[in-house]
Amino acid sequence: GEAGGSDVRQEFTVLGKLPGANECLWKHWRTFDRLKKHAQVVVGLSIRQAGLRPVQSACVEFEWREADQKRDFDNVIFAQKFVLDALVAKGILPDDGWAYITGIAHQVVLDPEHPGVRVTLYAGKEDDMATKKKPAVKAKAKKKPVRRKPPIMGTAEPISS
C-alpha cells in the first residue's frame, strides 16, 4: 500500500530502557529536558535505522520489554511521550494530536535478554488494532463559553434584636 493508506504497517525497536515517570517527574526542568533530549536521540536513531516512511495518521502499538519487574506499568509507558515526539521530530507523523494518533495500545512484558520497546505503526487505521471497528473520535469545535452570574447561595442579613 501507499504511505498514509490503511494497509501500511511499520515497526521499529528501541534497545535499552527509556526513562520512566519516576526518572522524569518532580525533577528540575533541566534534568527532564536532558533526559527527554537523550531519549529522543536514541529513539530517532532507531527510527532512521528502521527506514520508516512518513504517514498522515496511525494507531501506535507499544510492546515494552522490561528486564525485571522493578518499574510499574504506568512508570514504563510514560516514555511513550519520547517516542511520539521523536516520530514527529523525524517527520514520520505530522503531529501527535488526536487527528494524527488514532489509537494507542500498550503491552508490558518481561524480557531480561532484550529490554527496550517495539513500536508498531498502523498507518491510517482508525480502530483499536483489534478486530472490531470503533467510530473515529472527532474533536468538537470549541464553543465560546457563556458567562453567567454565579448563583446566590444565600444572603447574610443583619440580626435585628
Side-chain angles (χ1 to χ4, degrees):
E2 199 175 290
S6 62
D7 62 343
V8 177
R9 178 180 178 271
Q10 303 183 80
E11 83 178 29
F12 65 98
T13 300
V14 179
L15 300 175
K17 183 171 88 167
L18 291 172
N22 293 344
E23 291 96 339
C24 295
L25 299 177
W26 316 117
K27 303 289 185 201
H28 189 277
W29 67 267
R30 274 196 205 114
T31 304
F32 174 75
D33 193 52
R34 184 176 40 80
L35 287 169
K36 180 182 176 190
K37 284 180 180 169
H38 182 262
Q40 280 190 254
V41 167
V42 170
V43 174
L45 290 171
S46 299
I47 290 169
R48 188 176 330 155
Q49 188 176 13
L52 265 60
R53 296 172 317 281
V55 295
Q56 266 311 108
S57 64
C59 278
V60 185
E61 183 178 76
F62 296 89
E63 182 188 74
W64 303 95
R65 299 190 310 249
E66 289 288 292
D68 51 45
Q69 293 178 316
K70 289 181 182 173
R71 302 195 302 171
D72 294 336
F73 285 14
D74 59 340
N75 189 11
V76 173
I77 70 172
F78 177 85
Q80 76 178 344
K81 168 144 190 64
F82 308 131
V83 174
L84 296 176
D85 287 353
L87 286 165
V88 172
K90 291 293 176 192
I92 305 304
L93 284 167
D95 191 35
D96 59 358
W98 286 51
Y100 307 100
I101 304 293
T102 57
I104 292 180
H106 294 278
Q107 182 179 14
V108 181
V109 298
L110 275 177
D111 189 347
E113 315 280 307
H114 308 99
V117 60
R118 179 173 42 215
V119 181
T120 307
L121 302 178
Y122 297 91
K125 293 279 186 187
E126 296 200 15
D127 60 17
D128 64 352
M129 290 162 285
T131 54
K132 45 184 190 184
K133 281 282 210 182
K134 285 185 174 180
V137 178
K138 303 270 188 221
K140 292 183 180 177
K142 290 186 179 181
K143 293 181 182 176
K144 200 170 186 177
V146 177
R147 294 200 170 242
R148 295 191 176 111
K149 289 185 179 178
I152 298 172
M153 300 305 287
T155 56
E157 303 259 340
I159 300 173
S160 54
S161 42

